[in-house]
Amino acid sequence: MTQGPGAPAAAHPGRPAAAVTASPGIWNIANVLTMVRLLLVPVFVTLLFADGGHDPKWRSVAWASFAIAMITDLFDGELARRKGLVTDFGKIADPIADKAIMGAALIGLSVLGDLPWWITVVILARELGITLMRFWVIRFGVIPASRGGKIKTLTQGIAVGMYVLALTDWLATARAVLMGVAVLLTVGTALDYVGQALRLRREGLAAQRPRG
């Protein structure tokens, strides 16, 4: 019997109708927030270097754009998971957007002479290294984000944001201390992820060995 225009769509053979669900489209609120964060990267860089890069007013505006980007980072992933809006685009674009805005801030601040290059190198090398390591062991399983990793990300964001602002006196000292904590968390969580990756690979290889 042919269905009329108003009839419900037929279920797949052998599958309950309730199990047939449409996958979320690329244009959803979580992906839009990720796109906004990507678009904010060139805006942030332009504002950071405006008028020579050391004008307190422009630095405050640059901080505002950086803060907005960090706020979208807090919400897009959570929205995607809670509302069933996880897409392949989001899985790829979200970490790219995270690293792009943070990398732009670190490199920009080092170019301006406000942040030592060794800090930028340590943080960026860690992010790149952990990303490559995840791909290295992905056939054995996924390394989940740890609580320490989330604290590291939050600490980095606050510390870098404070460096974007033209702070002086005790506030400048406070941001240096916070950045020191962020670097320690960066290295510590990296070692933890390396341990997880090696254990995951070892267990995966053991499971693949033929049992005699």
Side-chain angles (χ1 to χ4, degrees):
M1 179 178 176
T2 305
Q3 293 181 338
H12 290 282
R15 188 187 303 175
V20 181
T21 57
S23 59
I26 189 173
W27 292 105
N28 60 65
I29 183 61
N31 285 345
V32 168
L33 289 175
T34 299
M35 293 177 198
V36 168
R37 192 156 72 258
L38 282 168
L39 293 173
L40 279 172
V41 174
V43 174
F44 166 74
V45 172
T46 300
L47 294 171
L48 182 64
F49 285 92
D51 199 17
H54 294 287
D55 185 285
K57 293 180 181 178
W58 282 113
R59 292 290 285 263
S60 296
V61 179
W63 174 86
S65 66
F66 180 80
I68 292 171
M70 291 294 100
I71 290 171
T72 64
D73 182 29
L74 294 175
F75 287 104
D76 58 358
E78 189 66 22
L79 283 172
R81 288 186 292 272
R82 285 192 178 185
K83 296 185 177 295
L85 301 175
V86 177
T87 63
D88 290 338
F89 171 83
K91 291 177 184 178
I92 296 171
D94 183 62
I96 290 175
D98 296 345
K99 290 172 177 55
I101 189 67
M102 183 60 69
L106 290 167
I107 293 172
L109 289 168
S110 292
V111 168
L112 291 171
D114 294 333
L115 186 68
W117 272 106
W118 71 266
I119 293 179
T120 294
V121 170
V122 167
I123 293 177
L124 294 184
R126 184 267 191 200
E127 298 302 328
L128 178 60
I130 295 301
T131 299
L132 293 175
M133 189 181 65
R134 287 179 187 274
F135 282 112
W136 180 53
V137 299
I138 196 169
R139 67 191 179 101
F140 302 113
V142 176
I143 303 174
S146 66
R147 175 170 295 187
K150 293 177 181 179
I151 295 173
K152 178 271 303 179
T153 300
L154 178 61
T155 307
Q156 276 185 6
I158 296 174
V160 171
M162 291 179 73
Y163 270 87
V164 172
L165 290 169
L167 302 180
T168 58
D169 299 327
W170 70 270
L171 286 173
T173 302
R175 72 181 180 185
V177 172
L178 188 60
M179 182 58 77
V181 174
V183 171
L184 290 176
L185 288 171
T186 296
V187 176
T189 54
L191 294 175
D192 177 57
Y193 282 135
V194 168
Q196 290 186 53
L198 293 175
R199 184 167 56 253
L200 187 63
R201 186 174 187 273
R202 184 172 59 251
E203 293 172 353
L205 289 174
Q208 291 178 356
R209 293 193 191 102
R211 299 182 181 274

